[in-house]
């Protein structure tokens, strides 16, 4: 009897151990693997990867935004790159025909979407519904920088980013705001003191380290991993914009303080000059953009933007900079075709090239070409009567976007260093008498052009 009891007990223990082992395998497959994200994305089970944490979070987010008519579109760089590699096939994929999760199941902490704020009709209602359906959401907002310094409006806050977490995956919703110049702007994701910095790994976010500016994208709806989403119709262009999207706001508060100290010139002549200069700048920008040539506000035009958020009325010209490697031989003809004749051409492509075009009412468009050396950049200048050459030295700089005269336009990111090189530490003080051959602190004499090369320039001038 005791022997039988021992056999029964042994069998029961074996059965219990087997059941426990099967339970562990089931728990790992259906719960732990999903939490880890990558496990099921490579499995061979039913509809490969569609139980991953990432896919379920994205699906729930898309269903939520769709039911609430929230106009979101996908801007995640990694997923857009994967889609672009197989774009034609993805475009032709019908809803429900996908058998494998290829995009949203890639192991990751975030998936990035965006929305255009002016199209969003029920912000607060959507926020509550998201939390009621299982998302934990963090809202980042700040005042509109364009209202900085206006006491009655400077406290007004606008939403900039939402970060919504479901399980261990988060949706980063970037809020795009319409700006003058037909472009979209998003703000800096700056956490306030009371916010939980451990909510998600914020350092891994691909949008929000600084404000950004993008062309307004045309959208198209496609099916990705069985989910209907909107993406930019030209994903390649959007992806190319991302690493160069950094935006610098005009210093509105400082500009208002400037005009309190130095009265603005609102004479008829000044207002006419600003109007004509704005039109000239917009025409030049349109022409260079059509050619695919990068450019930025330089010299007095850059100073006017940064110091007073406007065109300096006594500058009498518009100044742009172009890297010499971006020079194209048809620049002159392109400007002439839009009604801007060449006034003079100094230097040559290899050395100190400078172009000047004649706008209406005696306003010039001056284009300075910049050359890069090991530790600095420079542009050249030439005295028309003598052929004497000058070189203007600048610390190395990169380009950022800003808004100026109703346009999205480039300026040096390192603006203060750029202006101090050109105008010294006292650039905040208006100077109406300026000798371009002696006044700039960064000017250096650079020899004289040979007569054989100078004759042609004199004739053009």
């Amino acid at each position: 009897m005791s022997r039988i009891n021992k056999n029964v007990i042994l069998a029961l223990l074996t059965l219990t151990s087997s059941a426990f082992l099967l339970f562990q395998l089931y728990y790992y497959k259906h719960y732990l693997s999903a939490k880890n994200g990558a496990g099921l994305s490579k499995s061979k089970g039913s509809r490969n990867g569609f139980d991953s944490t990432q896919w379920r979070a994205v699906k729930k987010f898309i269903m939520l935004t769709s039911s609430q008519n929230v106009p979101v579109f996908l801007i995640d760089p990694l997923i857009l790159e994967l889609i672009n590699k197989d774009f034609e096939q993805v475009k032709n994929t019908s809803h429900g025909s996908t058998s494998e999760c290829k995009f949203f199941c890639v192991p990751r902490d975030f998936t990035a979407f965006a929305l255009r704020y002016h199209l969003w009709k029920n912000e607060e209602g959507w926020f509550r519904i998201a939390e009621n359906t299982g998302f934990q959401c963090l809202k980042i907002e700040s005042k509109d920088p364009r209202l900085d310094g206006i006491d009655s409006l400077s406290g007004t806050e606008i939403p900039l980013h939402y970060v919504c977490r479901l399980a261990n995956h988060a949706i980063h919703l970037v809020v795009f705001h319409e700006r003058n110049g037909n472009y979209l702007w998003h703000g800096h994701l700056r956490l306030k003191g009371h916010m939980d910095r451990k909510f998600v790994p914020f350092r891994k976010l691909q949008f929000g380290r600084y404000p950004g500016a993008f062309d307004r994208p045309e959208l198209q709806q496609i099916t990705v991993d069985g989910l209907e989403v909107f993406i930019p119709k030209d994903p390649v262009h959007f992806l190319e914009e991302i690493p160069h999207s950094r935006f610098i706001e005009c210093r509105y508060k400082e500009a208002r303080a400037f005009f309190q100290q130095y009265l603005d010139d609102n004479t008829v002549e000044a207002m006419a000059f600003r109007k004509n200069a704005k039109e000239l700048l917009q025409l030049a920008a349109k022409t260079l953009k059509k050619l695919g040539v990068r450019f930025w506000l330089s010299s007095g035009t850059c100073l006017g933007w940064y110091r007073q958020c406007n065109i300096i009325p006594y500058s009498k010209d518009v100044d742009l900079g172009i890297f010499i490697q971006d020079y194209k031989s048809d620049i002159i003809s392109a400007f002439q075709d839009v009604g801007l004749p060449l006034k003079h051409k100094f230097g040559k492509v290899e050395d100190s090239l400078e172009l000047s075009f004649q706008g209406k009412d005696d306003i010039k468009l001056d284009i300075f070409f910049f050359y890069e050396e090991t530790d600095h950049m420079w542009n050249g200048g030439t005295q028309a009567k003598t052929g004497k050459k000058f070189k203007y030295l600048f610390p190395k700089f990169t380009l950022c976007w800003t808004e100026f005269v109703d346009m999205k336009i480039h300026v040096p990111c390192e603006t203060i260093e750029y202006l101090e090189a050109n105008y010294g530490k006292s650039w905040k003080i208006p100077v109406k008498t300026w000798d371009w051959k002696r006044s700039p602190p960064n000017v250096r004499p650079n020899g004289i052009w040979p007569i054989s090369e100078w004759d042609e320039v004199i004739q053009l001038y």
Side-chain angles (χ1 to χ4, degrees):
M1 184 69 179
S2 61
R3 178 182 292 253
I4 293 175
N5 288 340
K6 289 180 179 180
N7 289 337
V8 171
I9 292 172
L10 182 61
L12 288 173
L13 288 173
T14 303
L15 181 62
T16 302
S17 299
S18 300
F20 183 72
L21 179 61
L22 289 172
F23 174 77
Q24 285 183 311
L25 291 172
Y26 177 84
Y27 182 81
Y28 176 80
K29 178 177 181 181
H30 290 275
Y31 293 93
L32 294 183
S33 294
K35 288 184 178 180
N36 290 333
L40 286 180
S41 65
K42 298 180 179 179
S43 68
K44 297 296 183 181
S46 174
R47 305 195 73 202
N48 294 342
F50 283 85
D51 288 330
S52 73
T53 303
Q54 297 96 308
W55 184 82
R56 286 188 288 111
V58 171
K59 178 183 178 182
K60 197 166 190 176
F61 175 78
I62 290 175
M63 292 176 63
L64 174 63
T65 54
S66 177
S67 66
Q68 298 299 310
N69 296 316
V70 183
V72 303
F73 57 98
L74 182 70
I75 60 170
D76 194 282
L78 175 60
I79 298 177
L80 286 180
E81 287 175 0
L82 293 174
I83 290 173
N84 186 61
K85 290 178 181 178
D86 202 10
F87 197 37
E88 290 304 317
Q89 182 176 345
V90 173
K91 284 198 303 183
N92 296 324
T93 300
S94 58
H95 182 64
S97 65
T98 305
S99 60
E100 183 179 4
C101 189
K102 298 172 58 178
F103 305 100
F104 289 127
C105 295
V106 177
R108 58 197 294 108
D109 295 301
F110 296 92
T111 302
F113 286 82
L115 65 82
R116 289 163 61 180
Y117 184 64
H118 77 289
L119 300 176
W120 199 2
K121 305 303 181 184
N122 186 27
E123 176 191 350
E124 293 303 325
W126 177 86
F127 190 75
R128 291 192 300 270
I129 294 171
E131 292 191 323
N132 290 337
T133 55
F135 283 100
Q136 294 177 281
C137 291
L138 183 66
K139 178 181 180 181
I140 292 92
E141 58 185 359
S142 184
K143 61 185 178 182
D144 189 328
R146 293 170 295 183
L147 305 180
D148 192 18
I150 302 179
D151 294 336
S152 60
L153 298 173
S154 59
T156 304
E157 294 200 330
I158 57 175
L160 301 178
H161 298 265
Y162 282 93
V163 180
C164 294
R165 184 179 66 190
L166 184 68
N168 66 344
H169 191 72
I171 304 296
H172 180 196
L173 182 58
V174 183
V175 182
F176 279 131
H177 294 265
E178 296 278 331
R179 285 290 193 98
N180 291 335
N182 197 34
Y183 73 98
L184 302 178
W185 170 89
H186 73 74
H188 183 195
L189 197 161
R190 181 180 287 116
L191 297 178
K192 297 182 179 180
H194 67 279
M195 293 181 175
D196 182 7
R197 283 165 168 74
K198 297 181 180 179
F199 182 68
V200 291
F202 288 99
R203 291 183 180 275
K204 295 184 180 181
L205 289 175
Q206 294 170 296
F207 296 88
R209 291 188 181 92
Y210 40 74
F214 291 82
D215 294 338
R216 184 188 289 113
E218 185 179 352
L219 303 178
Q220 64 175 334
Q221 189 176 39
I222 61 174
T223 299
V224 180
D225 292 338
L227 305 175
E228 292 185 356
V229 297
F230 284 95
I231 69 168
K233 193 170 185 179
D234 186 354
V236 174
H237 177 68
F238 187 84
L239 287 168
E240 289 174 345
E241 286 187 283
I242 293 175
H244 309 290
S245 62
R246 186 173 181 177
F247 183 92
I248 299 178
E249 198 72 61
C250 174
R251 305 184 319 145
Y252 296 101
K253 185 176 182 179
E254 289 79 1
R256 294 184 180 100
F258 175 85
F259 286 121
Q260 288 178 354
Q261 184 174 4
Y262 306 100
L263 294 179
D264 195 7
D265 187 350
N266 290 319
T267 62
V268 174
E269 293 78 13
M271 294 174 66
F273 171 79
R274 280 179 170 149
K275 176 179 179 295
N276 292 333
K278 174 181 176 179
E279 293 174 354
L280 178 60
L281 179 55
Q282 290 176 334
L283 180 58
K286 182 178 179 180
T287 304
L288 290 171
K289 184 176 181 180
K290 189 175 181 180
L291 291 173
V293 174
R294 290 181 303 167
F295 68 96
W296 65 92
L297 303 181
S298 188
S299 303
T301 308
C302 183
L303 175 62
W305 161 75
Y306 194 71
R307 188 177 66 190
Q308 55 213 68
C309 298
N310 209 334
I311 295 170
I312 299 174
Y314 52 82
S315 60
K316 302 306 179 185
D317 56 19
V318 172
D319 302 309
L320 300 180
I322 295 177
F323 293 121
I324 194 61
Q325 61 266 31
D326 293 329
Y327 170 80
K328 292 188 177 180
S329 59
D330 52 352
I331 286 179
I332 294 176
S333 60
F335 276 106
Q336 290 176 329
D337 289 343
V338 297
L340 299 176
L342 180 68
K343 182 171 183 178
H344 65 239
K345 173 184 177 183
F346 294 137
K348 51 187 178 181
V349 176
E350 296 79 17
D351 181 13
S352 305
L353 183 63
E354 175 189 347
L355 301 177
S356 183
F357 298 91
Q358 185 63 61
K360 66 179 182 180
D361 293 338
D362 205 31
I363 301 177
K364 290 194 294 113
L365 170 68
D366 291 330
I367 299 180
F368 305 101
F369 289 86
F370 280 66
Y371 300 76
E372 184 173 358
E373 303 290 349
T374 304
D375 59 350
H376 69 279
M377 295 182 181
W378 62 275
N379 74 279
T382 303
Q383 188 176 23
K385 295 180 180 179
T386 64
K388 188 175 181 180
K389 299 165 60 178
F390 298 86
K391 180 181 284 190
Y392 301 85
L393 308 182
F394 293 84
K396 288 194 171 184
F397 58 89
T398 54
L399 298 181
C400 287
W401 292 111
T402 194
E403 182 178 315
F404 188 60
V405 295
D406 299 328
M407 286 193 302
K408 178 170 76 90
I409 199 165
H410 274 130
V411 292
C413 298
E414 300 77 11
T415 315
I416 293 179
E417 293 83 356
Y418 189 88
L419 291 176
E420 286 184 351
N422 217 172
Y423 297 100
K425 299 285 186 179
S426 60
W427 57 267
K428 295 181 182 180
I429 302 173
V431 176
K432 295 187 177 182
T433 302
W434 186 261
D435 184 346
W436 61 269
K437 301 181 294 300
R438 298 183 180 87
S439 299
N442 62 339
V443 66
R444 303 288 185 274
N446 193 34
I448 297 177
W449 285 101
I451 294 178
S452 59
E453 297 180 6
W454 187 239
D455 285 343
E456 180 182 355
V457 177
I458 292 294
Q459 291 172 7
L460 281 169
Y461 186 77

